[in-house]
Amino acid sequence: MTQAPARPKSERRRHDREIIALAVPAFGALVAEPLFVMVDSAIVGHLGTPQLAGLGIAAALLSTAVSVFVFLAYATTAAVARRVGAGDLPSAIRQGMDGIWLALILGLAVIAFTLPTAPWLVEVFGASGTASPYATTYLRISSLGIPAMLIVLAATGVLRGLQDTKTPLYVAIAGFTANAVLNVALVYGAGFGIAGSAWGTVIAQCGMAAAYLFVVVRGARRHGASLRPDAAGIRASAQAGVPLLVRTLSLRAILMIATAVAARLGDVDVAAHQIILSLWSLMAFALDAIAIAGQAIIGRYLGAGDADGARRACRRMVEWGIASGLVLGALIVLARPLFIPLFTGDPTVKDTLLPALLVVALSQPIAGVVFVLDGVLMGAGDGPYLAGAMVVTLAVFAPVALLVPALGGGLTALWWAMGLMMTVRMLTLWLRMRSGRWVVTGATR
């Protein structure tokens, strides 16, 4: 990578303002997403243990299905941001519409698969005889909202590409509020039980999708962009998403392997692992918000043909990632006496948790660089490299993690393996950044 010239303070401040303006609302929207399941769990939990267990199984299946298609947001952000940078707003919105049409097609396909196979999916997931009927009911009803959920992903990508992360935050807050009100009304007011919770979530998700479509369609009409499905454009959106799908599946495999290894270590270890994983996910939301800003900003710079500006913005975001990682790591260490009792009162779990938690804290600066560079390369449309790098990371992590129980290691050893995974990701992404091959300018890559 060509050495970027020294940057005046005014340019750094401009980059900082852009990053903050995009990252802070993005963080709020990201945090709002898991709150849907938390609200459902809190409300359904009062119906009984079988109902709560059924909800947990169905929610895990649904979140897995939706997370697989997160490329709808990532790929759309990069493609739209490039066209925004090139000054072609009609084309940017047209590209976004192609992503939304793809989301609808994929959502309908998921419904067609889930409705008839719901009982089998629940059984494969290991549901008990008492929880299975509730899990099946919730899964079948909630699957009707998957097209709306995928449309929300794609439309979020459109708005991020247009440098707007505030609207997704407002929609997420409204959706969360509607979901909570509808769940209480349908579960207890109407007496529908767990089915009421599922219908409340579906209605809230459809309302969110409608709000997004209203904003995007209004923009399309204002700029004269076509709303009709375009086969070539939808196909191009799908092709751009395939490498990111490979990346996402590889990352999911890493997390599944880590959980499976923790389970083999024993109940205490897996309980401590779940606590750490929850905290790790929360830290990831904060760092992912900077990555989202990176996707939008880098795509815009490259679309405008400003390669030097893209490099300088990348460098500043890496500095943000390192600083954020240091702050998050320090918070984990300093706040551990406050948050650990919220999760467990078992002294054995606490003793197992603490050393592994320190490993997580030490790895946060590395995670900061990883998330930022991931966002930069997504914004550059460098999906094939990201896919290959994640497959390499999986190939390194899997044997190391699987050796942990065989060699007598515990949870701390497993999280050192997770730290190794993040280090490998950082090295692969850093090498790509330094090479400069991701810097491809123009409205399309």
Side-chain angles (χ1 to χ4, degrees), residues 311-322:
R311 290 189 181 95
R312 289 193 294 270
C314 171
R315 180 177 169 184
R316 187 57 177 166
M317 280 183 281
V318 168
E319 293 169 356
W320 266 79
I322 295 171

Side-chain angles (χ1 to χ4, degrees), residues 104-165:
L104 178 60
I105 293 168
L106 292 174
L108 293 175
V110 173
I111 289 179
F113 172 78
T114 304
L115 285 179
T117 61
W120 174 76
L121 290 170
V122 168
E123 182 181 351
V124 168
F125 222 73
S128 66
T130 54
S132 288
Y134 298 111
T136 301
T137 296
Y138 191 93
L139 181 60
R140 277 183 165 153
I141 296 172
S142 292
S143 68
L144 300 176
I146 286 180
M149 295 168 72
L150 299 190
I151 287 172
V152 166
L153 281 177
T156 299
V158 176
L159 295 181
R160 288 174 182 170
L162 294 170
Q163 318 295 297
D164 175 10
T165 56

Side-chain angles (χ1 to χ4, degrees), residues 410-427:
L411 186 67
T412 303
L414 174 60
W415 276 93
W416 276 118
M418 290 288 283
L420 171 65
M421 179 270 294
M422 295 300 290
T423 302
V424 172
R425 286 187 71 189
M426 183 182 70
L427 290 175

Side-chain angles (χ1 to χ4, degrees), residues 358-432:
L358 293 177
V359 175
V360 174
L362 288 172
S363 69
Q364 286 306 297
I366 295 173
V369 175
V370 167
F371 275 81
V372 165
L373 291 181
D374 213 35
V376 166
L377 296 184
M378 283 184 192
D382 206 10
Y385 182 84
L386 288 171
M390 190 60 79
V391 170
V392 169
T393 302
L394 172 60
V396 172
F397 170 77
V400 174
L402 293 173
L403 279 173
V404 168
L407 297 177
L411 186 67
T412 303
L414 174 60
W415 276 93
W416 276 118
M418 290 288 283
L420 171 65
M421 179 270 294
M422 295 300 290
T423 302
V424 172
R425 286 187 71 189
M426 183 182 70
L427 290 175
T428 57
L429 298 173
W430 183 264
L431 288 172
R432 186 63 167 181

Side-chain angles (χ1 to χ4, degrees), residues 13-76:
R13 284 196 295 267
R14 177 167 57 82
H15 286 316
D16 292 345
R17 285 195 297 270
E18 280 190 321
I19 293 168
I20 292 170
L22 291 170
V24 172
F27 175 69
L30 288 170
V31 170
E33 292 173 12
L35 292 179
F36 271 75
V37 176
M38 290 179 64
V39 167
D40 288 4
S41 299
I43 293 170
V44 171
H46 292 285
L47 294 174
T49 300
Q51 289 92 331
L52 183 59
L55 170 65
I57 291 166
L61 286 165
L62 288 164
S63 65
T64 299
V66 174
S67 67
V68 165
F69 298 112
V70 73
F71 68 83
L72 289 165
Y74 294 157
T76 304

